[in-house]
Amino acid sequence: MICLTSIPTLPRLRLLAGTARLALLPSLLAASLVHAAEPDQGATQLPSVNVRADKLAPTSPHAGGQLARGSRVGLLGDLDFMDTPFNTTSYTAEFIDNIQAPDLVRVIALTDPSVYSSGSSGGITDYFNIRGFGVASSDIGFGGLYGLIPYYRVTPELAERVEVLKGPSALLNGMPPGGSVGGAVNLVPKRADDTPLTRFTASYGSDAQFGGHLDIGRRFGAGKQFGVRLNAVHRDGDTATRNQQHRSQLASLGLDWRGERSRVSMDLFASRDHVDGLNRGVSLAAGLAVPRPPKADTLFAPDWTFSNVKDQAAALRWEFEINEQLSAHAAYGHGHTDFDSIASGTTLIVNSAGDFRNNFAHQRFIYNKDTAEAGLSARFRTGPVDHALALSAAWYHHDYKFGFQRNLLPRDWLTNIHDPQWGPAVDRSFSDASLPKTGEVRTTSVGIADTLSFAGDRLQLTVGIRRQTVLSDTLDGATGKRTARYDASANTPAGALLFKASERLSLYANYIEGLSQGTTAPVTAANAGEVFPPYKTRQREIGAKMDFGQLASAFSVYEIEKPGSYTDPASNVFSFGGQQRNRGVEWTVFGQVSDQLRLLGGIGWLQPKLTRTQGGVNEGRLATATPQWQGKLGAEWDVPALPGLTLTGNAISMSKGYINADNSQWVPGRTVFDLGARYATQAAGHPLVLRASVQNLTNKAYWAGSLGSGLGSPRTALLSATVDF
């Protein structure tokens, strides 16, 4: 074994002309070379070199390029998926571009059987859940910070990677503002590469949605220390749903500077999302059966309903390597959201013919958000044990202004789901009214975790705890005076064990908690005014991960228990005595089956059971709007006879979903197919990629998870052309 740092410069260069094996350590601070060259034939010439990377960075792509090898795991930092004792997925920009994703939900729900999406589009927000529990869009991170991404719908061109951690993550990430516990999603901001980039994508979506995306990246300085990455997106026009228009805009700027021991970055973006003709669902009057869905492109709202969301954010991050064993970081961000919408408020089907009553509501709110995080990471050794110690402190604050008008029509409008007809638009002057400040929330937390490595890192034990405090004030909109205060704290411990049975197999187990803001007992309860601490959701999980180089797979079994609140009918005492228990099994596969064929998908089973309910009503039933089975598979095949041509396909299949608490009614399961192709070529000496796909190929009409979610998206054709200059 010869250490590179011990070899003079010229001999090093000569040695690299020999047959060698290069081992890249995770720290990228050291390298070793095993030399097996033939006897030297001269002073300046040696045989060719063979170099093999043993350990790739977590951010590097896995075989096939659709997923990255690893992701950011909260305060534990960037970890390879084989070194992570949790179930994680990290989607690359290449995958996002190739599926022509118009929103974030399509990225994370297309092939992952643990992520459920209703399938509807063009609503106020794009709903999804992970492992059976909903994830609020406000709880998605941006560079590890909460409260910055667009509030309701995210334009995916904002991200270099989209990272998904399944299950609760209070220790790793702190309590999210909305208290989501099913999983954590983080967007990694784009950075300029060493290679200059100027890329433009022109796009089209049926029926008449046209768009463009400009992506420019440059680095400057003698050592390319300073980087600039600019992204600008505009899409506008009619969607595949009748009488619906959608406009989305994004401008983002990523600046970074990298020195020998420190790195500084700043991200700024502005986002706009506007929909005319909101996709909304319906509900059933008592005693009615679930009706057959109307045509897939039907809209249950007039074209004068709308949502308009404006978001701006800025984030600053600093990282410093104090020495080889100790590093520090700090980050701060500010975000602003302005939301305005007129949407259906009452949507009740009143007879078997599909007649339904509708009325409308006008909602507005403004959020101002500030968030910060700082931490230390240390590596050291005690006897035979290696330690990776992480300390993190986080702070979040938002204040909000809110206004609401209901029943904008003097009486409900009556129409039919199979052929909706609408009257004139309602008054929308409330869009210009001033809003009162109605609340304020502050959260703080401190977390510490240590990963202890034994037997040459083959066995790793991670233990940690986070202390979280929540302070929330409710204000009277007219006077500005505080009418209620919530002030409580909780500790959330976690532990995880990972065993590397071989280079290709990792086994893991974890116990981790999620945290959501509790509440105050209502005035009608016997314990009125009692403040409950943040409630804990607990996960237990075991799993296995296999990486065969080109193809990888993961298998996990989990149980998540989430408390629920109710007032006991006998004692009239309000408590968090309810509980939903989700048990599940997941199997996923990704990578290359051969040089021409790539796969990404899996199968998931979920049992979301109500295990404790008020008075035992519906105890043992399954939660609504969540299928028990999901199977998803995406495939890409490079056609050998025509280099550059790739055929693509995707299938999503799921079982029925209950729509009422006693499980007496449900919407059927569905299977939806997508087909597409792309062709990589040259145009006037410039790289050109042409993409075409059809989503919901058979134009299947289906209820999107529940009647309340409306209809799934109809058949939609997508075209795009990407050229590099």
Side-chain angles (χ1 to χ4, degrees), residues 608-693:
K609 182 178 289 188
L610 304 177
T611 51
R612 288 201 301 267
T613 63
Q614 180 175 330
V617 177
N618 297 319
E619 197 163 286
R621 305 293 186 183
L622 299 184
T624 60
T626 301
Q628 285 193 269
W629 287 96
Q630 286 196 98
K632 302 179 181 181
L633 182 63
E636 296 187 344
W637 180 56
D638 300 331
V639 180
L642 187 56
L645 178 63
T646 300
L647 303 182
T648 64
N650 198 85
I652 298 176
S653 184
M654 62 185 65
S655 60
K656 65 184 180 183
Y658 293 110
I659 65 172
N660 58 355
D662 65 5
N663 294 174
S664 61
Q665 290 184 313
W666 61 85
V667 296
R670 64 179 186 264
T671 300
V672 179
F673 299 98
D674 304 337
L675 283 181
R678 67 175 181 270
Y679 183 56
T681 183
Q682 295 272 329
H686 299 286
L688 173 67
V689 180
L690 304 174
R691 299 180 180 91
S693 64

Side-chain angles (χ1 to χ4, degrees), residues 43 123 132 139 179 209 263 270 274 299 325 342 397 403 438 452 534 549 709:
D139 291 348
Q209 181 90 186
R263 291 171 296 278
H274 183 90
L299 181 68
Q325 289 76 38
I342 292 178
H397 168 266
T438 55
L452 299 85
S709 299

Side-chain angles (χ1 to χ4, degrees), residues 339-651:
F339 172 79
D340 184 18
S341 175
I342 292 178
S344 298
T346 301
T347 52
L348 181 68
I349 298 178
V350 296
N351 57 40
S352 59
D355 293 332
F356 75 104
R357 298 202 323 263
N358 204 346
N359 213 317
F360 304 91
H362 197 155
Q363 179 179 342
R364 292 184 58 211
F365 61 75
I366 295 175
Y367 273 80
N368 284 295
K369 299 158 286 187
D370 292 278
T371 181
E373 192 259 343
L376 290 170
S377 299
R379 293 184 177 273
F380 56 94
R381 188 176 182 87
T382 57
V385 181
D386 289 317
H387 296 261
L389 183 67
L391 177 66
S392 172
W395 170 81
Y396 172 84
H397 168 266
H398 76 239
D399 60 57
Y400 55 95
K401 300 177 179 179
F402 180 79
F404 187 78
Q405 289 183 334
R406 66 175 71 249
N407 295 333
L408 300 182
L409 295 178
R411 61 179 180 274
D412 291 349
W413 184 267
L414 185 66
T415 187
N416 189 276
I417 63 171
H418 297 286
D419 185 24
Q421 302 293 324
W422 305 101
V426 298
D427 176 72
R428 53 190 294 178
S429 59
F430 187 58
S431 294
D432 301 319
S434 61
L435 298 178
K437 183 177 177 180
T438 55
E440 191 170 3
V441 173
R442 287 184 292 277
T443 68
T444 57
S445 71
V446 177
I448 185 171
D450 188 13
T451 298
L452 299 85
S453 299
F454 308 86
D457 287 349
R458 291 193 64 188
L459 183 64
Q460 299 177 13
L461 173 65
T462 300
V463 292
I465 190 169
R466 184 179 290 268
R467 176 69 173 177
Q468 183 89 44
T469 299
V470 183
L471 177 64
S472 175
D473 289 332
T474 302
L475 307 178
D476 182 277
T479 65
K481 293 182 179 180
R482 187 175 70 206
T483 59
R485 164 161 283 193
Y486 177 91
D487 189 356
S489 302
N491 297 322
T492 51
L497 186 67
L498 183 134
F499 174 60
K500 297 181 181 178
S502 69
E503 290 186 0
R504 301 185 183 276
L505 175 64
S506 292
L507 307 175
Y508 72 92
N510 65 62
Y511 169 83
I512 192 167
E513 298 180 349
L515 202 62
S516 307
Q517 181 178 331
T519 188
T520 303
V523 294
T524 55
N527 57 335
E530 181 179 353
V531 176
F532 287 83
Y535 62 87
K536 300 179 182 181
T537 298
R538 296 173 169 87
Q539 173 181 276
R540 301 164 185 86
E541 178 183 17
I542 59 173
K545 301 180 182 183
M546 293 144 282
D547 187 4
F548 302 101
Q550 295 296 96
L551 194 67
S553 183
F555 177 82
S556 60
V557 180
Y558 62 88
E559 178 183 83
I560 304 175
E561 295 175 332
K562 180 182 180 181
S565 62
Y566 63 76
T567 302
D568 186 88
S571 64
N572 196 34
V573 173
F574 177 87
S575 70
F576 275 83
Q579 180 179 271
Q580 178 176 326
R581 184 193 65 203
N582 288 8
R583 287 177 172 169
V585 180
E586 298 164 357
W587 172 73
T588 56
V589 62
F590 57 94
Q592 294 189 171
V593 178
S594 67
D595 290 342
Q596 289 80 38
L597 181 62
R598 294 170 293 281
L599 298 178
L600 178 58
I603 299 173
W605 173 80
L606 174 67
Q607 185 191 60
K609 182 178 289 188
L610 304 177
T611 51
R612 288 201 301 267
T613 63
Q614 180 175 330
V617 177
N618 297 319
E619 197 163 286
R621 305 293 186 183
L622 299 184
T624 60
T626 301
Q628 285 193 269
W629 287 96
Q630 286 196 98
K632 302 179 181 181
L633 182 63
E636 296 187 344
W637 180 56
D638 300 331
V639 180
L642 187 56
L645 178 63
T646 300
L647 303 182
T648 64
N650 198 85

Side-chain angles (χ1 to χ4, degrees), residues 147-497:
L148 299 183
I149 73 158
Y151 194 84
Y152 274 139
R153 194 167 7 253
V154 181
T155 303
E157 288 89 348
L158 184 63
E160 183 67 32
R161 294 189 309 281
V162 176
E163 302 171 336
V164 181
L165 186 151
K166 301 162 193 177
S169 61
L171 167 69
L172 304 175
N173 300 301
M175 189 188 83
S180 301
V181 297
V185 180
N186 180 57
L187 275 62
V188 179
K190 289 185 173 181
R191 294 285 175 261
D193 292 327
D194 288 348
T195 302
L197 174 69
T198 303
R199 177 174 295 164
F200 181 74
T201 299
S203 62
Y204 164 82
S206 55
D207 284 338
Q209 181 90 186
F210 295 92
H213 171 212
L214 179 64
D215 188 355
I216 299 175
R218 293 289 189 276
R219 300 208 71 87
F220 304 93
K224 298 186 177 181
Q225 301 97 326
F226 183 66
V228 180
R229 187 75 177 266
L230 172 68
N231 276 264
V233 179
H234 180 90
R235 283 189 287 267
D236 192 7
D238 297 336
T239 74
T241 300
R242 271 183 294 155
N243 302 319
Q244 185 181 83
Q245 291 185 324
H246 185 198
R247 181 174 68 253
S248 58
Q249 299 168 308
L250 170 73
S252 69
L253 180 65
L255 308 173
D256 74 282
W257 177 86
R258 57 193 190 195
E260 183 177 349
R261 298 171 60 186
S262 62
R263 291 171 296 278
V264 180
S265 62
M266 175 178 284
D267 294 281
L268 307 99
F269 73 82
S271 172
R272 303 287 186 271
D273 189 89
H274 183 90
V275 177
D276 285 318
L278 281 178
N279 189 355
R280 300 287 279 178
V282 294
S283 56
L284 282 176
L288 290 181
V290 176
R292 66 177 176 85
K295 292 180 180 180
D297 63 353
T298 303
L299 181 68
F300 296 144
D303 57 7
W304 44 260
T305 58
F306 73 94
S307 71
N308 189 39
V309 192
K310 296 182 287 186
D311 291 277
Q312 301 91 35
L316 179 66
R317 187 173 187 87
W318 167 78
E319 301 173 49
F320 182 67
E321 295 176 3
I322 301 171
N323 54 43
E324 292 186 4
Q325 289 76 38
L326 184 64
S327 62
H329 69 271
Y332 167 77
H334 174 78
H336 176 84
T337 297
D338 190 328
F339 172 79
D340 184 18
S341 175
I342 292 178
S344 298
T346 301
T347 52
L348 181 68
I349 298 178
V350 296
N351 57 40
S352 59
D355 293 332
F356 75 104
R357 298 202 323 263
N358 204 346
N359 213 317
F360 304 91
H362 197 155
Q363 179 179 342
R364 292 184 58 211
F365 61 75
I366 295 175
Y367 273 80
N368 284 295
K369 299 158 286 187
D370 292 278
T371 181
E373 192 259 343
L376 290 170
S377 299
R379 293 184 177 273
F380 56 94
R381 188 176 182 87
T382 57
V385 181
D386 289 317
H387 296 261
L389 183 67
L391 177 66
S392 172
W395 170 81
Y396 172 84
H397 168 266
H398 76 239
D399 60 57
Y400 55 95
K401 300 177 179 179
F402 180 79
F404 187 78
Q405 289 183 334
R406 66 175 71 249
N407 295 333
L408 300 182
L409 295 178
R411 61 179 180 274
D412 291 349
W413 184 267
L414 185 66
T415 187
N416 189 276
I417 63 171
H418 297 286
D419 185 24
Q421 302 293 324
W422 305 101
V426 298
D427 176 72
R428 53 190 294 178
S429 59
F430 187 58
S431 294
D432 301 319
S434 61
L435 298 178
K437 183 177 177 180
T438 55
E440 191 170 3
V441 173
R442 287 184 292 277
T443 68
T444 57
S445 71
V446 177
I448 185 171
D450 188 13
T451 298
L452 299 85
S453 299
F454 308 86
D457 287 349
R458 291 193 64 188
L459 183 64
Q460 299 177 13
L461 173 65
T462 300
V463 292
I465 190 169
R466 184 179 290 268
R467 176 69 173 177
Q468 183 89 44
T469 299
V470 183
L471 177 64
S472 175
D473 289 332
T474 302
L475 307 178
D476 182 277
T479 65
K481 293 182 179 180
R482 187 175 70 206
T483 59
R485 164 161 283 193
Y486 177 91
D487 189 356
S489 302
N491 297 322
T492 51
L497 186 67

